[in-house]
Amino acid sequence: MPKHWISLLLLIALTVLFLVFWESPPALLSGTKPSSKAEFPAAYMIDSHSQYFDKDGKLNYEIKAAKVVHYQATPGRQQESDHADISAPNITLYTANGKPWHISAASGRSNADGSKIHLKADVHAWQQVAQGERNELNTDELVIHTKRNYVETDKAVIISSSGHNIKAIGLEADLNKESLRLKQRVRGVHEFKQ
């Protein structure tokens, strides 16, 4: 084979390698590590209102938010690391007793399928129980398990209702069963009307 053919083949091979590395440089050569976390949004919504239904078609909960940004590690394929960041969420949980809970916060993060929402900063929850009477809860963080209507936190909570004010550290509540467990340092004030 003539010498110029070898040089030409070598030049073509080097050009192909250059183009391959130019289009998608390997992590080893570029000095970056492949990331398992989603770094760029896959979708976003402004002034969103989403409704979620159970398997029987009954409204389970709804979310209104100033902004929702959805991050997906692998486009087109749901993974455990996928999540949505929620700005100024207002959530309504519809309970078995027919008295919904309304929950707001400064921000939140939902897991990939929306079954768990972690609210942060200025979390306020309330339920209308009678004409002019409400149950209220305030805390810094609250985790909502939407499929079970179950909420929990390890942070300080203040619960108030007609004539009652309770402070505690940590809370677990099943909103469908209307059961509440305060974890520690529970202090309460009860005012009796005469």
Side-chain angles (χ1 to χ4, degrees):
M1 192 188 284
K3 201 175 193 180
H4 69 283
W5 282 102
I6 294 174
S7 299
L8 184 61
L9 287 175
L10 186 58
L11 181 63
I12 291 172
L14 287 173
T15 303
V16 168
L17 279 173
F18 175 76
L19 290 174
V20 167
F21 285 130
W22 181 268
E23 290 296 320
S24 57
L28 184 63
L29 294 178
S30 67
T32 59
K33 296 180 182 178
S35 174
S36 61
K37 293 172 64 177
E39 295 179 20
F40 298 102
Y44 70 93
M45 297 178 280
I46 304 293
D47 293 328
S48 73
H49 182 184
S50 303
Q51 295 179 319
Y52 299 87
F53 298 85
D54 65 15
K55 62 183 179 220
D56 299 323
K58 186 178 173 186
L59 184 59
N60 188 28
Y61 70 99
E62 60 185 310
I63 300 177
K64 294 177 183 178
K67 180 177 162 185
V68 178
V69 181
H70 177 72
Y71 295 90
Q72 192 170 23
T74 306
R77 221 175 61 206
Q78 190 175 29
Q79 294 181 339
E80 188 74 24
S81 63
D82 296 351
H83 65 276
D85 288 338
I86 309 164
S87 299
N90 285 298
I91 301 170
T92 303
L93 295 173
Y94 295 95
T95 60
N97 67 8
K99 297 176 183 173
W101 276 90
H102 307 274
I103 306 170
S104 63
S107 66
R109 177 172 278 191
S110 171
N111 65 351
D113 66 356
S115 63
K116 187 176 180 181
I117 302 171
H118 189 149
L119 300 177
K120 288 187 176 185
D122 300 323
V123 180
H124 178 74
W126 63 272
Q127 178 189 47
Q128 192 76 37
V129 290
Q131 185 66 24
E133 293 183 23
R134 297 179 2 163
N135 291 329
E136 296 190 47
L137 180 140
N138 291 292
T139 186
D140 289 330
E141 291 185 23
L142 189 69
V143 177
I144 304 170
H145 301 272
T146 59
K147 291 182 180 177
R148 301 181 345 210
N149 278 347
Y150 183 86
V151 298
E152 64 182 331
T153 186
D154 289 327
K155 303 294 181 188
V157 296
I158 299 173
I159 301 168
S160 53
S161 63
S162 178
H164 307 291
N165 192 357
I166 300 170
K167 295 180 181 181
I169 305 294
L171 160 122
E172 294 176 350
D174 185 327
L175 303 179
N176 283 331
K177 295 179 181 176
E178 297 182 351
S179 68
L180 169 71
R181 179 169 109 36
L182 300 171
K183 295 182 179 181
Q184 58 183 327
R185 293 173 37 188
V186 180
R187 301 284 182 261
V189 175
H190 305 283
E191 296 175 13
F192 296 100
K193 296 179 182 178
Q194 294 184 7

